[in-house]
Amino acid sequence: MRELLKKFENRQPEIVFEWSDSETEAEGWLVIDSLRGGAAGGDTRMKKGLEKKDVIQLAKNTAIKYTISGPPIGGAKAGINFDPEDPRKEGVLKRWFHVVSPILKSYFGTGAGIHISESKELIPLTENHGLWHPQEGIVTGHFTPEGPKKIRKIGQLRQGLSKIIENPDYFPPGSAKYRVSDMITGFGLAAAVLHYYQLWGGSATGKKAMIQGWGNVGAAAAYFLAKEGVQVVGILSLEGAIIDPDGLDEAAITKLFLSKEKNKLVSTKRIPFEEGNEKFWNLSADIFIPAAKSRLVDKAKLEKLMAGGLTLIASGANFPFAENDIFMGPISTLADEKISLIPDFISNVGISRLAAYLMSDRVLLTDEALFGDVSKTIHKALKQCHQAQASPNKIAQTALEIALQQLG
């Protein structure tokens, strides 16, 4: 595996498009690791301090993810180094999409990443440049469909990614309307945990979990886990933390989910971040869901979690561990060898798999079909790992080797 990984990490991206904004200090990169299958995909993000090397690493991670989610295409990522709170953001994005729109029409498909709104920014700006959908390049480059087939696939993407959930099994009762795309990544994280126990033994019911991050992914994962009887003992967000060693049940987690304001943790029980950050890493729990920013979990934090009895990590964030390596650095390797680590390219596959399903020829636009397909995809990936490695250790290394063999 290490030889395959070294070869993959050292391979230069097939395409690196560099951009300097003419009116601000913004700079951006579109990195296409490869045009495997005639196309590549990956989200577009904006972050102050973002560097080209970060975008290259994310593109490689997306390449691995596509071996799980499909379609069999190359990984890519678009990133803009600019403060998303700057009032000039709209102009920056307009100029960025102006220069990349020909690529988006031909062989690159994108989604809304960090600090980019799909409905307010990504879709309107790409439509202004003649795109039917931000994923159009994948449909064109990979599927090469004739006119009516292309129109149908684009229509499925537009309808499915904006679909409002109707089945109450997939969103909190009494809540506002949620789109499938709002809930499906967190749902996939919870599904990864449930499938882990099904395959390696045991039950999620009664287990204690810690959630790092309270955005769409972390909050939805907590909600779906709580529905299965998991007790949430700690939630850590930038606003502060909620610590309850006895565990928050489904009713309490649902209330927190419904009360969040723009992905911020809101509660009278919330304690300041500094105090919460100290208590959070010393909790005793079975399951840890890192669903905040990348590279936040250092070795000391991991060792505290393991000392508290942690047995399973299901990654919601890309690169959750504070290491420079793209894959399997010293901290993630430690976690993988001592406990069970489900890598982000399996557990965080929800939105990628949703898009892949919507591009297929046989699509059912029902909540049951869309969520069920994501669950089946994650189960299939974990089952392959279990067949290759029955031990609950080295799941991530096994999964990575399976993916790298597919990429050649």
Side-chain angles (χ1 to χ4, degrees), residues 40-120:
D43 67 42
T44 298
R45 60 184 53 200
M46 178 180 283
K47 180 183 176 184
K48 186 177 181 180
L50 190 71
E51 299 180 13
K52 181 169 73 172
K53 66 178 179 62
D54 301 324
V55 186
I56 291 173
Q57 290 181 346
L58 287 163
K60 288 188 176 294
N61 190 55
T62 306
I64 296 292
K65 185 177 289 188
Y66 276 124
T67 68
I68 306 297
S69 71
I73 60 174
K77 194 69 69 170
I80 302 169
N81 174 22
F82 192 69
D83 183 355
E85 299 299 322
D86 192 301
R88 299 172 293 170
K89 176 187 180 184
E90 182 181 358
V92 170
L93 288 176
K94 283 181 179 179
R95 292 184 290 276
W96 167 261
F97 284 113
H98 173 73
V99 298
V100 300
S101 59
I103 305 174
L104 282 166
K105 283 179 177 289
S106 304
Y107 52 81
F108 169 55
T110 196
I114 295 172
H115 302 309
I116 304 288
S117 168
E118 179 180 339
S119 60
K120 296 179 181 179

Side-chain angles (χ1 to χ4, degrees), residues 242-255:
I242 295 176
I243 307 295
D244 188 334
D246 294 327
L248 301 169
D249 60 12
E250 181 182 354
I253 290 297
T254 299
K255 183 178 180 181

Side-chain angles (χ1 to χ4, degrees), residues 185-195 220-222 224-225 289 347:
T185 302
F187 170 84
L189 263 176
V193 171
L194 299 178
H195 292 319
F224 286 114
L225 286 173
I289 306 289
S347 51

Side-chain angles (χ1 to χ4, degrees), residues 143 152-153 156 353 356-365 369-370 373:
F143 293 98
R152 187 180 72 246
K153 289 181 184 295
Q156 289 169 180
R353 179 56 207 170
Y357 176 77
L358 293 170
M359 285 185 251
S360 62
D361 291 329
R362 296 182 179 181
V363 173
L364 289 175
L365 288 171
L370 300 177
D373 177 76

Side-chain angles (χ1 to χ4, degrees), residues 198-357:
Q198 292 166 359
L199 290 164
W200 276 274
S203 170
T205 303
K207 295 292 191 298
K208 293 184 176 182
M210 300 164 59
I211 312 292
Q212 182 191 29
W214 199 244
N216 275 354
V217 176
Y223 170 71
F224 286 114
L225 286 173
K227 279 171 64 71
E228 298 296 329
V230 174
Q231 302 290 309
V232 177
V233 296
I235 301 168
L236 181 64
S237 185
L238 286 174
E239 302 78 46
I242 295 176
I243 307 295
D244 188 334
D246 294 327
L248 301 169
D249 60 12
E250 181 182 354
I253 290 297
T254 299
K255 183 178 180 181
L256 284 172
F257 185 100
L258 296 176
S259 64
K260 69 187 178 90
E261 298 176 357
K262 294 183 178 180
N263 294 335
K264 292 184 178 181
L265 181 63
V266 177
S267 172
T268 57
K269 296 182 179 180
R270 190 184 74 195
I271 59 177
F273 177 82
E274 291 75 14
E275 179 186 355
N277 190 46
E278 178 66 28
K279 292 182 176 180
F280 182 81
W281 302 106
N282 289 291
L283 284 167
S284 177
D286 307 284
I287 304 162
F288 173 48
I289 306 289
K293 294 180 180 179
S294 300
R295 308 194 189 283
L296 293 179
V297 184
D298 59 28
K299 183 180 179 183
K301 291 183 174 72
L302 174 62
E303 289 176 337
K304 286 181 180 180
L305 293 175
M306 292 191 296
L310 188 74
T311 57
L312 172 64
I313 297 175
S315 301
N318 293 318
F319 312 128
F321 299 103
E323 54 196 10
N324 293 323
D325 304 74
I326 305 177
F327 303 101
M328 301 312 303
I331 304 173
S332 51
T333 299
L334 175 64
D336 194 42
E337 293 182 347
K338 294 293 185 181
I339 58 175
S340 296
L341 171 63
I342 303 176
D344 62 273
F345 57 83
I346 292 179
S347 51
N348 187 24
V349 80
I351 196 70
S352 296
R353 179 56 207 170
L354 174 62
Y357 176 77

